[in-house]
């Protein structure tokens, strides 16, 4: 399954979350660290859903970029 992730930079590091999996989020010092952590978090999240006999959400979120003119 391919889930969309959102990676955000903050003043102290990076965070990432999965829109299709509420509560599945991580923080780290670098973008590379967050990418590794979110992959593991998704795997653990899905395993927990299966163990609890809850439905596993199908990936539905899409990611797009919108080009807008720079404000002067």
């Amino acid at each position: 399954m391919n889930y969309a992730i959102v990676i955000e930079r903050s003043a102290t590091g990076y965070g990432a979350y999965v829109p299709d999996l509420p509560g599945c989020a991580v923080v780290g010092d670098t973008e590379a660290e967050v990418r590794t952590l979110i992959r593991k978090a998704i795997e653990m999240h899905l395993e927990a859903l299966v163990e609890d006999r809850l439905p596993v959400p199908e990936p539905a979120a899409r990611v797009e970029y919108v080009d807008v003119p720079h404000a002067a």
Side-chain angles (χ1 to χ4, degrees), residues 7-16 26-37:
I7 298 174
E8 298 177 327
R9 186 174 173 188
S10 73
T12 58
Y14 290 83
V26 299
V27 294
D29 294 327
T30 67
E31 185 176 342
E33 179 184 17
V34 164
R35 286 180 183 277
T36 299
L37 292 173

Side-chain angles (χ1 to χ4, degrees), residues 2 18-19 21 25-26 35 37 40 43 53 56 61-62 67 71-72:
N2 290 316
V18 185
L21 302 173
V26 299
R35 286 180 183 277
L37 292 173
K40 290 178 185 176
E43 291 171 0
R53 298 178 189 238
V56 174
R62 292 182 29 204
D67 189 21

Side-chain angles (χ1 to χ4, degrees), residues 62-66:
R62 292 182 29 204
V63 177
E64 291 187 33
Y65 289 90
V66 177

